[in-house]
């Protein structure tokens, strides 16, 4: 029996509520008190485990309940009893079995990669084409409605060596966004500042707002208006001389063709939770590069487990050149689910070398923060 013929014998799920240390306001909604994620653990007959995470957000991609049900009811039968080497077939079947639920498919893809890589004794990035970088610049989002708290976070970030931030804008009013940009530019000149509206600008005022914000020379401006307003995105892109990034407007490879045909952005935020897996995220990045668009390593509200999946994906995807925003495990969660801290050094995410995702999940933490579970032995 070869390693890749090992049969998958366990499919366990946890729906977790993980407390956070601050409020985050975005253009499409807020997060306070806790985030909700779903963790999948696959077990193979040889005794190895593989973990994956679904990190939905109800106003963006979907709900944790939907991710849990997609995995528990519709995807589980596609997985149990199959060899780990059937990974590509399982993903194709999952794609057809459940519409949308891209975060559930990302959890499945991650757990299959982690399991296969642990069985083979190699890092996940080796299964994704090999490592093209061993550090990824980290961006932290500034999104607290209490700006004084964010100013204290900025000092901590500066001390930690972080040099990229993304200002979340469009959740209060334009004056608040300009006030924060002025202060950040004055007090933290060493930072690369990017701006993300999360669709928060009204179509009538978006042009005037972006002209003001462009004057602060942000590295890019992300998703200023509603995802479906593609023509307006294209007009905004033509009118300002700061790169425009698409986030909510591009989920998976299927969205890239209309996005490029309309010329709605200069770059795209690539997220495994939007694309529905690591390999599909790589496809989005490659499609972007093929038409001269840049690519950024975005994320949802995640634990360190999903950050690890994104880290391995970006390590093997040279087309993603704008860094990543895997900050929640270090700066937002009160407690992560990994057994050792998500690896960040001097403002850079460190790509793990150990087999699988490279860091273990702490099973006691899963039990402590679980609000629903399925598939565990009694
Ligand atoms: Mg965004």
């Amino acid at each position: 029996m070869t390693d890749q013929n090992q049969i998958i014998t366990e499919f366990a799920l946890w729906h977790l509520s993980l407390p956070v240390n601050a409020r985050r306001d975005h253009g499409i909604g807020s997060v306070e008190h806790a985030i909700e994620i779903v963790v999948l653990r696959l077990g193979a007959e040889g005794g190895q485990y593989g973990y994956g995470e679904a990190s939905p957000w109800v106003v963006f991609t979907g709900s944790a309940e939907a991710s849990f049900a997609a995995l528990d009811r519709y995807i589980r039968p596609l997985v149990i009893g199959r060899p780990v080497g059937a990974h590509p077939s399982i993903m194709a079947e999952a794609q057809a079995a459940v519409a949308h639920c891209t975060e559930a498919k990302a959890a499945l893809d991650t757990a299959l990669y982690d399991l296969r890589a642990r069985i083979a004794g190699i890092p996940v990035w080796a299964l994704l084409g090999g490592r093209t970088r061993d550090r990824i610049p980290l961006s932290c989002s500034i999104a607290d409605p209490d700006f004084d708290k964010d100013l204290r976070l900025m000092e901590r970030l500066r001390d930690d060596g972080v040099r990229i931030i993304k200002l979340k804008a469009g959740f209060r009013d334009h004056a608040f966004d300009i006030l924060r940009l002025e202060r950040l530019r004055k007090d933290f000149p060493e930072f690369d500042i990017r701006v993300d509206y999360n669709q928060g600008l009204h179509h009538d005022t978006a042009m005037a707002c972006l002209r003001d914000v462009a004057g602060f020379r942000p590295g890019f401006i992300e998703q200023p208006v509603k995802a479906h307003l593609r023509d307006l995105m294209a007009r905004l892109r033509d009118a300002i001389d700061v790169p425009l990034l698409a986030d909510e407007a591009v989920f998976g490879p299927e969205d890239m063709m209309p996005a490029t045909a309309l010329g709605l952005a200069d770059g795209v935020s690539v997220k495994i939770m939007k694309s529905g897996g690591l390999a599909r995220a790589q496809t989005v990045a490659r499609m972007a590069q093929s038409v001269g668009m840049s690519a950024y390593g975005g994320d949802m509200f995640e634990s360190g487990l999903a950050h690890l999946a994104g880290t391995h994906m970006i390590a093997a995807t040279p087309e993603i050149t704008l860094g990543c925003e895997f900050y929640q495990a270090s700066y937002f969660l009160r407690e992560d689910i990994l057994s050792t801290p998500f690896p960040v050094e001097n403002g850079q995410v460190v790509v793990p070398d150990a087999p699988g995702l490279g860091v273990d999940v702490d099973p006691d933490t899963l039990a402590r923060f679980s609000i629903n579970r399925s598939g565990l032995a009694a």
Side-chain angles (χ1 to χ4, degrees):
M1 184 180 68
T2 67
D3 285 347
Q4 298 299 308
N5 280 339
Q6 283 198 32
I7 300 298
I8 300 169
T9 54
E10 186 197 61
F11 190 104
L13 291 170
W14 293 260
H15 177 174
L16 304 181
S17 176
L18 299 177
V20 298
N21 62 19
R23 178 183 166 115
R24 322 290 288 170
D25 279 6
H26 291 197
I28 46 172
S30 302
V31 170
E32 201 172 10
H33 307 306
I35 64 166
E36 292 189 27
I37 63 168
V38 174
V39 172
L40 166 66
R41 185 179 71 197
L42 299 179
E45 58 184 333
Q48 292 280 8
Y49 289 112
Y51 282 95
E53 173 178 334
S55 322
W57 187 20
V58 281
V59 296
F60 195 135
T61 55
S63 68
E65 289 83 358
S67 292
F68 192 95
L71 288 161
D72 196 31
R73 181 170 175 184
Y74 301 105
I75 292 177
R76 177 196 300 278
L78 309 175
V79 177
I80 289 289
R82 302 286 292 280
V84 298
H87 178 174
S89 301
I90 293 170
M91 289 309 299
E93 291 164 28
Q95 197 68 19
V98 195
H100 309 300
C101 296
T102 50
E103 324 88 324
K105 293 162 192 168
L108 175 66
D109 203 29
T110 303
L112 286 165
Y113 273 118
D114 189 26
L115 181 58
R116 288 175 59 207
R118 283 176 190 270
I119 289 172
I122 56 176
V124 165
W125 51 253
L127 292 177
L128 291 168
R131 182 169 62 181
T132 65
R133 52 170 72 90
D134 55 15
R135 296 279 191 284
I136 306 167
L138 176 67
S139 171
C140 185
S141 290
I142 295 299
D144 199 314
D146 182 341
F147 188 43
D148 288 337
K149 285 188 187 163
D150 266 342
L151 290 172
R152 291 196 288 277
L153 173 60
M154 286 295 300
E155 288 169 9
R156 183 181 163 203
L157 293 170
R158 181 164 58 191
D159 291 347
D160 289 351
V162 176
R163 289 295 178 269
I164 309 172
I165 56 156
K166 202 159 79 171
L167 182 74
K168 292 292 187 173
F171 60 81
R172 188 180 296 176
D173 57 33
H174 186 54
F176 184 55
D177 295 338
I178 296 299
L179 176 150
R180 291 184 299 156
L181 276 167
E182 285 175 346
R183 182 73 184 271
L184 291 168
R185 269 283 177 252
K186 179 165 88 56
D187 289 356
F188 301 92
E190 62 275 71
F191 278 78
D192 176 356
I193 299 176
R194 297 141 175 201
V195 176
D196 185 2
Y197 280 98
N198 284 101
Q199 314 179 69
L201 285 181
H202 190 274
H203 52 80
D204 284 341
T205 53
M207 187 69 77
C209 291
L210 287 204
R211 286 201 164 112
D212 286 350
V213 167
F216 290 90
R217 311 308 306 167
F220 57 71
I221 299 174
E222 187 172 327
Q223 197 66 54
V225 293
K226 295 275 186 248
H228 68 276
L229 297 177
R230 291 172 168 166
D231 289 337
L232 177 56
M233 276 280 283
R235 289 202 302 278
L236 293 168
R237 180 189 175 212
D238 284 345
I240 61 165
D241 59 355
V242 169
L244 213 59
L245 236 73
D247 183 5
E248 286 91 333
V250 174
F251 267 50
E254 299 80 5
D255 299 322
M256 282 301 290
M257 195 71 85
T260 56
L262 285 166
L264 64 80
D266 301 282
V268 61
S269 175
V270 180
K271 302 180 177 178
I272 62 171
M273 297 302 157
K274 291 190 301 179
S275 60
L278 285 67
R280 282 171 55 83
Q282 290 185 294
T283 301
V284 172
R286 288 168 185 155
M287 291 176 76
Q289 192 193 47
S290 73
V291 292
M293 292 169 71
S294 56
Y296 169 62
D299 74 354
M300 301 297 291
F301 288 109
E302 303 178 348
S303 84
L305 173 58
H307 289 354
L308 284 171
T311 298
H312 283 266
M313 185 275 290
I314 293 172
T317 312
E319 294 84 0
I320 298 178
T321 58
L322 296 174
C324 71
E325 58 187 15
F326 303 149
Y327 73 90
Q328 290 95 350
S330 312
Y331 295 101
F332 187 46
L333 294 180
R334 288 197 182 277
E335 192 175 340
D336 194 14
I337 63 172
L338 300 179
S339 54
T340 55
F342 177 71
V344 178
E345 283 176 14
N346 198 29
Q348 311 255 320
V349 173
V350 181
V351 178
D353 274 327
L357 291 171
V359 183
D360 291 324
V361 170
D362 178 4
D364 293 338
T365 311
L366 295 182
R368 233 167 352 107
F369 293 114
S370 173
I371 56 178
N372 192 13
R373 65 187 75 186
S374 176
L376 292 168

